[in-house]
Amino acid sequence: MDQPLMNCRYCADIAKANGVDPLGTAAKTDHWLITEMKQPWSGSLVENPQVKPLIPLFKKLIFRRGILIRPIAIATDHDYSQTGWTRVLYYHRPSSQFAQYAKQEFLIPETEGLNFTMALLKSLLKQPNNLKHYHQYQQDTTDIRELLVCTHTQVDLACGRYGTPIYRQLKRDYGHHPQSLRVWQATHFGGHQFAPTLLDLPTGQFWGHLDPAILPSLIERQGDVSSLRPYYRGWSGLQKFEQMAEGEIWKREGWAWLDYPKSGRTTQKGLKGIKQFLYPLLRLIPFQLLQMWLEQWPQEADWVEVHLQFALPKTTQISRYQVRLAAKGRVKTAVKSAAKANESMPLQEQWQYEVTQVVQCDP
């Protein structure tokens, strides 16, 4: 049931009170570029001197090449960072069907940070670059798990209000073994209505509305995964509706599911009016960004059919699930917190979906 929450200041409170399902809100990503950056952070990182010169390259990658690359800044940390050096974490999708992002980490002289990042982006564009010069700075950290908690107050107050305490608890309880796990404060990576939010790499899982009580299960990957379902925003290797299906299969398969190379695609949507004719025609256009947009559009589909396929680790045997989702109504939510106390927040309706059928197909 919708709640008025007239005196609420944070969008995360409204989303949680009105029962907005976080699953399906992870940002689909092929490449992550994560760079240490000293705080304080501005509201818009594009104005930062470390970022601004890179914007033309990011635009070419995303809008011309259809490469889904997402930059994130992480705060320098007295336990992990080194004076005079800049850490850059680069993750990429290793194949169309995968379980974890492939990782490279570089510790670059601070004066060379911008030049290195520019060389890396140019290499993705297949432009002339001097990336080989920086191979000497690569670190052997492929086995380290990285937890990023959004504390970017300048983008939305909810991230500072709710993200900071969760970050401090995670750092206190789990951040003292940097050879296996590190905990970082991060800039905005979407979904502040679900603050506190967390990105878990290299798996690429997104979490939201985090509660201190569920952190041991999430971090140690133990216990019944169904108890974590209300906090799961989805896997960034998939699109919106595919994430919803993947969340259901994860509950059925358990923690082992994280190790299964997997992929998914939305095969059908139940649309209304002219949309039911336009959608299949537009899908024929061979442009990745348009395809990505179509997976999100329209959100008011009556039903959706998703196919997921996966392989057991160290085998070539492919298994498949066919999942059907159906709209179950709409709830109101705020996507931005109020800047001042008692300031009103515009509400918008968000469609909610439920899994109505799961069929496991024979290999």
Side-chain angles (χ1 to χ4, degrees), residues 145-149 170 181-184 198-200 219:
R145 183 179 176 190
E146 313 287 355
L147 302 180
L148 279 61
V149 180
L170 284 169
L181 184 149
R182 294 182 292 205
V183 183
W184 303 92
L198 180 147
L199 170 59
D200 192 345
I219 304 304

Side-chain angles (χ1 to χ4, degrees), residues 300-319:
E300 65 271 18
D302 293 327
W303 57 268
V304 181
E305 191 171 281
V306 173
H307 285 190
L308 294 176
Q309 69 176 34
F310 65 96
L312 297 178
K314 301 180 181 179
T315 72
T316 58
Q317 179 176 311
I318 300 297
S319 298

Side-chain angles (χ1 to χ4, degrees), residues 247-281:
E248 177 66 24
I249 303 307
W250 177 56
K251 287 199 305 180
R252 294 167 180 253
E253 295 285 341
W255 289 109
W257 176 249
L258 299 185
D259 297 322
Y260 297 169
K262 47 193 170 285
S263 62
R265 61 189 180 95
T266 300
T267 57
Q268 296 186 69
K269 287 184 179 181
L271 309 177
K272 296 180 180 180
I274 192 172
K275 294 173 182 176
Q276 63 182 313
F277 302 106
L278 287 177
Y279 182 78
L281 292 175

Side-chain angles (χ1 to χ4, degrees), residues 8-16 156 158 192-194 209 333-338 345:
C8 177
R9 189 180 182 185
Y10 303 108
C11 57
D13 292 337
I14 294 179
K16 191 172 184 178
D156 194 278
H192 34 253
Q193 64 171 317
F194 303 111
H209 288 323
T333 186
V335 296
K336 182 72 176 175
S337 296
M345 287 183 287

Side-chain angles (χ1 to χ4, degrees), residues 105-120:
E105 177 174 332
F106 298 85
L107 198 59
I108 306 294
E110 198 170 75
T111 55
E112 286 292 307
L114 178 59
N115 291 333
F116 165 75
T117 307
M118 192 165 292
L120 178 60

